[in-house]
């Protein structure tokens, strides 16, 4: 059935489900809600200024990164990935969210793209002596960036993600 009115329905403006979506599955509704939350977070990231995580500083307006005043030379994809992780310190970031971020920059076209970017970021952080900042892998699920030494936070992050370590 085609709708003649191009204006949104009143229930959409209040955030309620559209009346015609009554037959939608809970999985579909959950997927739509997750996407809305991600879009809102992406818009927040774009509007925000400098992100600081201990000695790590990321300036999205200039696409500049530094660790303890030592500049980090990052590609656009590496910068966006590090910005995503640093804006959610200690939180698990799913591979799907990372893949979307990399696709936005044109840096992610393969399944292993996130892994390669993380590997390069780790190397560049090591090169500037980034002690106390760890980029943790949640096997098969995603990544987490935190200030704590390796191993202390990984078990709780993995538990939140539904994994066993």
């Amino acid at each position: 059935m085609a709708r003649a009115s191009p204006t949104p329905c009143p229930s959409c403006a209040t955030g309620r489900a559209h009346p015609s979506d009554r037959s939608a599955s809970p999985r579909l509704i959950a997927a739509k809600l997750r996407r809305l939350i991600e879009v809102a977070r992406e818009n927040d990231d774009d509007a925000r200024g400098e992100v600081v995580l201990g000695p790590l500083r990321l300036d999205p307006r200039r696409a500049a990164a530094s660790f303890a005043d030592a500049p980090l030379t990052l590609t656009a994809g590496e910068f966006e990935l590090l910005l995503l992780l640093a804006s959610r310190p200690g939180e698990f970031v799913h591979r799907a969210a990372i893949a979307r971020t990399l696709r936005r920059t044109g840096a992610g076209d393969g399944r292993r793209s996130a892994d390669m970017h993380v590997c390069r970021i780790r190397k560049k952080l090591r090169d500037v002596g980034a002690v106390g900042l760890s980029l943790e892998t949640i096997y098969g699920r995603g990544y987490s960036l935190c200030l704590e030494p390796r191993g202390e936070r990984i078990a709780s992050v993995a538990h939140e993600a539904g994994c066993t370590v």
Side-chain angles (χ1 to χ4, degrees):
M1 158 174 24
R3 293 194 176 103
S5 172
T7 59
C9 68
S11 63
C12 293
T14 60
R16 294 187 313 228
H18 193 278
S20 66
D21 287 345
R22 289 185 185 155
S23 63
S25 73
R27 288 178 74 176
L28 178 62
I29 293 170
K32 287 180 179 182
L33 287 173
R34 278 193 301 273
R35 181 63 187 138
L36 286 172
I37 291 168
E38 289 168 9
V39 167
R41 280 186 172 173
E42 288 170 3
N43 291 339
D44 285 346
D45 289 346
D46 294 339
R48 178 177 33 219
E50 190 174 73
V51 174
V52 178
L53 179 62
L56 178 67
R57 294 182 167 281
L58 300 166
D59 185 354
R61 291 187 181 113
R62 295 184 311 126
S66 65
F67 186 87
D69 296 326
L72 284 169
T73 305
L74 302 170
T75 65
E78 292 165 352
F79 180 82
E80 287 297 322
L81 175 54
L82 191 56
L83 180 65
L84 174 68
L85 294 166
S87 64
R88 296 173 179 85
E91 291 181 29
F92 164 76
V93 180
H94 199 277
R95 293 177 67 85
I98 292 170
R100 278 191 295 279
T101 298
L102 293 175
R103 274 195 302 271
R104 256 192 345 200
T105 65
D109 54 355
R111 290 183 49 164
R112 304 287 299 191
S113 181
D115 298 333
M116 293 307 300
H117 280 80
V118 166
C119 180
R120 290 183 195 122
I121 290 170
R122 284 180 176 146
K123 181 183 182 322
K124 290 176 181 184
L125 288 172
R126 272 192 313 269
D127 290 347
V128 296
V131 177
L133 186 69
S134 68
L135 183 47
E136 304 289 348
T137 301
I138 312 300
Y139 182 76
R141 306 280 302 199
Y143 297 92
S144 174
L145 182 69
C146 55
L147 287 171
E148 300 168 347
R150 286 186 70 82
E152 290 181 19
R153 176 97 172 111
I154 190 70
S156 63
V157 172
H159 177 71
E160 291 170 14
C163 297
T164 57
V165 179

